[in-house]
Amino acid sequence: MFGPDKCGEDYKLHFIIRHKHPKTGVYEEKHAKPPDVDLKPFFTDRKTHLYTLVMNPDDTFEVLIDQIVVNKGSLLEDVVPPINPLKEIEDPADEKPDDWDERAKIPDPSAIKPEDWDEDEPAQIEDLSAVKPDGWLDAEPKFIPDPNAEKPDDWNEDMDGEWEAPRISNPACRIGCGEWKPPMINNPKYKGVWRPPMIDNPNYQGIWSPRKIPNPYYFEDDHPFLLTSFRALGLELWSMTSDIYFDNFIICSEKEVADRWATDGWGVKMLANANELGILRQLITTAEERPWLWLIYLVTAGLPIALIISFCWPRKVKKKYEDANYKETDICKPQTKGALEQEGKEEKAALEKPLDLVEEKQQSDGEILEKEGEPQEKSEEEIEIIEGQEEGNKSNKSGSEDEMKEADESTGSGDGPVKSVRKRRVRKE
């Protein structure tokens, strides 16, 4: 019999052989010693496991879980009861003699109890030096009914009996109530029951045991590996746990064959399960089996972060100061003649832009009216308003050009000092 067994919180991996007694013909069960490893993880991880038993011709055995050895030993030494019985056994007909003395120590028969030994003295006596405290109330009870307690409305005396208020400590007994008694102390005269001292027994003969006789059923099997042949495989199932599956049983005479079957079956299944798990899950599972990997994970993840912070942080501070210096030099930069001319051209273009937009809008409006049909004649008032707007725009344009020319002349030519020019904005009509 070979395989896992779980009963409550007891986890086992059985290896039991039935050995035939050559003299009596009776089959006896021989149990291998239990494994030295903790088997609980194999029963609680809810994973598929491969159980392997290897019996070698030299009468040794190995038990493996997932191709890892968890137990090994010898069929001649590591099974209970042993394969080969004892050569001598206890005589079942032998009886212990009546005068056999197994006492190693006996009371001293010559010892005499001392005359002043009083066995009637109690272990404790009252303290005669104690005095009753002042304020002790002998007539007051220690507990009294609670005066604030009320009988419940649903109390039925026929069913619940007569109602009694709960009892509380008597508030008047701050020092003590009831009959006062002095405290008890150890009795200095107490010695207890006298017993004689123990001495070595001169008649001591030791612990009796039956005599040994040759074992009539003794035999010696030097090769228990040669078991009785079998032609079937049975399963012993008794479980109250669901979702238990098993498959791929193989019995062979060469371990290499079993290993190849394990690789083609269980190995492929384990590889498929591993591929289903994510990388993070695989790392966590591996670290659970080897806790020292958590330190490597921490170093691997923390070192790049520390390097990035150490290299990038000083550059940010340096760049901040460089930007500040650059802005300060920009503020103190003087303006030249060419810059002033460029500003004048930009303002001139901004003034011309509204006129172009008005003309484009007028042209687009005229085209739309022509497309709609015969245009209506404009009134004299509308014509005068339009002509006035055009003349005003032309005057604004000519005025702004004259002012720009005067500003250029006032600045002068050459490399002389630059003077600030105050420009007047033209108010649009």
Side-chain angles (χ1 to χ4, degrees), residues 164-179:
E164 294 181 359
R167 303 176 69 82
I168 60 174
S169 299
N170 191 346
C173 299
R174 290 176 294 178
I175 299 176
C177 294
E179 182 183 0

Side-chain angles (χ1 to χ4, degrees), residues 180-198:
W180 182 83
K181 294 181 180 180
M184 304 296 288
I185 61 174
N186 292 330
N187 186 1
K189 298 180 180 180
Y190 173 75
K191 295 182 180 180
V193 179
W194 181 86
R195 292 184 178 88
M198 303 297 289

Side-chain angles (χ1 to χ4, degrees), residues 234-422:
L235 299 176
E236 182 179 349
L237 300 177
W238 183 24
S239 175
M240 301 181 67
T241 304
S242 59
D243 300 332
I244 295 179
Y245 304 96
F246 45 86
D247 60 0
N248 299 341
F249 297 94
I250 179 174
I251 300 174
C252 58
S253 58
E254 296 180 2
K255 188 175 184 300
E256 291 76 11
V257 176
D259 292 340
R260 186 167 60 253
W261 274 71
T263 303
D264 297 340
W266 174 80
V268 174
K269 188 180 298 183
M270 290 298 98
L271 183 60
N273 294 337
N275 293 333
E276 292 178 359
L277 298 176
I279 296 176
L280 181 60
R281 181 59 184 170
Q282 293 182 29
L283 293 175
I284 295 175
T285 304
T286 306
E288 289 177 352
E289 298 175 356
R290 302 172 179 85
W292 53 269
L293 286 176
W294 288 112
L295 180 60
I296 297 178
Y297 293 167
L298 181 61
V299 174
T300 305
L303 184 60
I305 297 174
L307 293 175
I308 292 172
I309 294 174
S310 62
F311 283 109
C312 295
W313 182 258
R315 294 184 180 180
K316 292 183 178 179
V317 176
K318 185 177 180 181
K319 186 177 180 182
K320 181 178 179 182
Y321 285 110
E322 290 176 355
D323 294 344
N325 295 334
Y326 181 77
K327 292 178 181 178
E328 290 176 359
T329 56
D330 275 353
I331 294 173
C332 299
K333 185 177 181 180
Q335 293 182 349
T336 61
K337 180 181 176 181
L340 292 174
E341 291 178 356
Q342 183 66 22
E343 290 181 0
K345 291 179 180 180
E346 292 176 358
E347 291 184 359
K348 184 178 179 180
L351 292 173
E352 292 177 354
K353 188 174 182 181
L355 295 176
D356 297 339
L357 293 174
V358 172
E359 291 176 0
E360 291 177 0
K361 184 177 180 181
Q362 290 176 357
Q363 292 177 1
S364 63
D365 293 340
E367 292 175 358
I368 293 171
L369 291 174
E370 290 177 359
K371 291 179 181 180
E372 288 179 354
E374 294 295 332
Q376 297 180 358
E377 296 182 358
K378 295 181 181 180
S379 62
E380 295 179 357
E381 295 178 357
E382 292 177 353
I383 294 171
E384 292 178 358
I385 292 171
I386 294 172
E387 291 177 354
Q389 290 178 352
E390 292 177 355
E391 292 177 358
N393 293 333
K394 292 179 180 180
S395 62
N396 292 338
K397 181 178 180 181
S398 61
S400 61
E401 291 177 355
D402 295 340
E403 289 179 358
M404 291 297 297
K405 291 179 181 179
E406 292 176 359
D408 293 340
E409 292 174 358
S410 63
T411 56
S413 60
D415 298 328
V418 180
K419 297 181 181 180
S420 63
V421 179
R422 184 177 180 181

